[in-house]
Amino acid sequence: FFLCYFRNEEERRLAIRSLSGHKWKGKVLSAKTAQPLPDPLALQRAEGMARKRMIQDAARANVDAKRIKLDGDEVDELAISVRLNHVVTPLWDQPYSKQMETKKSNMVEILGKLTRKLKAIMVLKNNWVEEESAKRNGICCELLDCVESPVLDGYRNKCEFTIAEGPDRAKTVGFRLGSYKEGYSGVVEPSECIHISDKAKVISKAFQTYVRQSPLPVYDLCFHTGYWQTLTVRSSMYGETMAVLQFSPQKMTKDEIEAEKNRICEYFKSGEGKDVKLTSLYLQINHTRAVGGNAEAPFVHIMGEEHIYEELCGLKFRISPDSFFQVNTKATEKLFNLLKDWCGDHLDETVVLDICCGTGALGLCLAQSVKRVIGVEIIENAVEDAKANAQLNGVTNAQFVCGKAEDIIVDVFKNMPRKTKIIGIMDPPRAGLHQSVLHAIRKSRRMDKLIYVSCNPSAAFVNFLDLCRPTSKRIKTAPFRLVKAVPVDLFPHTKHCELLLLFERDMTSVDAAKFYKWYY
């Protein structure tokens, strides 16, 4: 597939006539006119009517709501917040027991698809996939009931808000109600969102007041103009809060940026925003068009402490502006305790290899039960946080290494005493691990147990498949078997949940049999 651009319509027609039917490398080419995306300006012009129509439709569903004015017409404000709940927490109006059934059903579907794919690529007949799926209604492992979250409402310790125009065209800090494809992408305040804490709502409201008082316009995703982009609010069990305001400086000078930074600081230190009592405040200067989690944009500390702290499984963890930390602390404790049980008993001589360790939370929570923890992470700031967290909790048997996981895994096994028992654990990004990391894991024959925490099993599906894929010319080392899985609900009222999967080395494979006969 090729996409070509031309200076005018005549050249495009000539190219289509010339290319259509042309033979190239034994194939006949076809050419046609590409369909352009809608003009952004046309979308902007259409947005006004689409916004009004959407809100009026929602208003008819609720006659007792507060009335607001939109382009001179009265509309229903409460109905908008109800619509927003359906967008950000689509299961919010269902009983929690039904939510659990829905999430387990989704996991059954994913594991069923994995089972069918594995059956198709298995070399030997009467293999473990066929045997297990015959006993377990078409899935290749034991699937336990979904573990419930101990907190259902206001559970998020990290919230990422968009700053854009709201239904009344005022600058608003909240969540997008729609998309450009739907004709409306305005933002609605999170005041009625049940998964957001009261503290986060108060902070977002304070920033909204500041932005509305500012003469600077909000950022426009279509034309890449404007200044105010996103607000991230983090909170902890200790009552500490951190806010990160993402700001596009456009053509502002350094002095102008500095002046704006000072105004923000003054507002939250002694102005109207002082009552929210922020522990830490950062400004993220974003010179790129990317909005949201932009790793290139520097964080500028402008007020309070540089870090906040969270408690998890009896340990204390340092949180930086860009630290990864699970959003539901109480449910994460359940997840970590379950993972610890899956590691097994008699762990005194066991080394845990924490792949994609982030700030070290998972490995440090296991450190007191095992001989040693080795954490691997490619993000340098995360490794620094992990080392600080180990020192903060007096953990001396944890080592954190920055670098590519596939390289470090090989080095770790080279330097490990021969008969050391090694368990791999990993909580990778949403999309899963790169194939090179999976190959390194497969080659690490002494790792006979692997526990995978997936926040998006559909996106990480290929990882599961590659871990269990039979030995071949491309992958010559023993595969794993998927033994059991359990959904853990870290995101009540949404369709998402974590999936904890236990893989064990397939001892029936020829490679494993040869290795373990030599090894032991």
Side-chain angles (χ1 to χ4, degrees), residues 159-456:
C159 302
E160 298 176 7
F161 301 109
T162 298
I163 306 174
E165 283 190 356
D168 55 358
R169 296 194 181 278
K171 300 172 187 176
T172 304
V173 178
F175 296 120
R176 291 199 180 277
L177 189 57
S179 66
Y180 284 112
K181 186 181 291 187
E182 296 169 342
Y184 177 64
S185 59
V187 167
V188 176
E189 293 183 42
S191 57
E192 302 297 324
C193 292
I194 58 177
H195 66 316
I196 305 299
S197 69
D198 291 340
K199 187 69 174 178
K201 292 175 184 177
V202 169
I203 293 173
S204 68
K205 189 76 171 179
F207 271 94
Q208 179 175 279
T209 300
Y210 178 82
V211 170
R212 286 182 176 180
Q213 292 174 357
S214 169
L216 301 177
V218 296
Y219 191 75
D220 188 299
L221 286 173
C222 182
F223 298 104
H224 308 290
T225 58
Y227 299 82
W228 309 109
Q229 293 185 322
T230 64
L231 170 71
T232 300
V233 178
R234 310 188 76 145
S235 56
S236 75
M237 305 293 288
Y238 292 109
E240 298 177 340
T241 53
M242 174 185 287
V244 181
L245 183 62
Q246 191 179 76
F247 180 79
S248 175
Q250 300 295 333
K251 296 181 180 180
M252 293 175 73
T253 65
K254 288 184 178 180
D255 289 342
E256 289 172 332
I257 295 173
E258 187 67 22
E260 188 61 43
K261 184 182 78 172
N262 292 335
R263 279 191 288 270
I264 297 169
C265 181
E266 184 67 22
Y267 177 82
F268 285 98
K269 185 177 286 186
S270 57
E272 291 181 53
K274 69 179 186 302
D275 292 338
V276 303
K277 298 178 180 178
L278 284 175
T279 308
S280 178
L281 177 59
Y282 281 85
L283 185 66
Q284 188 178 30
I285 310 295
N286 185 14
H287 291 279
T288 71
R289 290 185 172 186
V291 178
N294 177 22
E296 297 178 3
F299 295 95
V300 181
H301 179 245
I302 61 176
M303 195 190 81
E305 304 295 330
E306 292 188 5
H307 308 93
I308 62 173
Y309 294 87
E310 180 63 294
E311 183 178 334
L312 179 68
C313 296
L315 301 179
K316 191 174 184 179
F317 291 91
R318 187 178 88 175
I319 308 294
S320 299
D322 55 349
S323 294
F324 170 77
F325 204 84
Q326 294 285 9
V327 299
N328 185 336
T329 304
K330 288 298 182 183
T332 301
E333 290 184 337
K334 278 193 168 186
L335 173 67
F336 283 10
N337 288 331
L338 185 58
L339 188 148
K340 180 181 175 182
D341 291 341
W342 283 15
C343 285
D345 300 322
H346 311 296
L347 300 175
D348 297 349
E349 295 302 316
T350 299
V351 173
V352 167
L353 182 61
D354 188 357
I355 304 161
C356 300
C357 67
T359 56
L362 183 49
L364 290 173
C365 288
L366 291 172
Q368 59 184 343
S369 304
V370 300
K371 180 179 180 180
R372 187 180 172 200
V373 171
I374 302 174
V376 181
E377 175 59 59
I378 197 168
I379 300 173
E380 189 174 352
N381 288 343
V383 173
E384 293 304 313
D385 276 342
K387 291 177 179 177
N389 288 329
Q391 187 175 7
L392 186 65
N393 292 283
V395 177
T396 58
N397 63 333
Q399 173 190 1
F400 297 98
V401 186
C402 183
K404 290 185 177 181
E406 57 268 37
D407 297 333
I408 295 171
I409 289 172
V410 173
D411 292 339
V412 165
F413 280 89
K414 278 182 182 177
N415 300 320
M416 196 71 64
R418 179 173 173 181
K419 294 191 177 181
T420 304
K421 182 180 178 183
I422 300 171
I423 296 176
I425 60 173
M426 52 187 175
D427 185 0
R430 185 174 285 108
L433 294 167
H434 191 273
Q435 199 172 57
S436 59
V437 182
L438 293 174
H439 285 182
I441 292 171
R442 286 279 298 259
K443 289 177 183 177
S444 305
R445 291 179 171 91
R446 285 188 283 165
M447 188 193 301
D448 55 9
K449 183 181 288 188
L450 181 69
I451 304 176
Y452 193 122
V453 182
S454 173
C455 63
N456 190 333

Side-chain angles (χ1 to χ4, degrees), residues 100 103-108 110-111 114 136 139-149 326 331-343 426-427 450-457 464 482-491 496-503:
M100 294 296 94
K103 296 186 182 194
K104 185 173 181 180
S105 177
N106 292 340
M107 295 304 109
V108 168
I110 291 170
L111 293 174
L114 176 65
R136 304 188 186 281
I139 61 175
C140 61
C141 69
E142 179 184 7
L143 178 62
L144 306 177
D145 289 335
C146 190
V147 176
E148 297 183 357
S149 171
Q326 294 285 9
T332 301
E333 290 184 337
K334 278 193 168 186
L335 173 67
F336 283 10
N337 288 331
L338 185 58
L339 188 148
K340 180 181 175 182
D341 291 341
W342 283 15
C343 285
M426 52 187 175
D427 185 0
L450 181 69
I451 304 176
Y452 193 122
V453 182
S454 173
C455 63
N456 190 333
F464 311 152
L482 178 54
V483 177
K484 60 181 174 180
V486 57
V488 183
D489 187 22
L490 267 65
F491 316 101
H496 306 291
C497 68
E498 299 276 327
L499 185 64
L500 189 62
L501 305 106
L502 174 62
F503 294 88

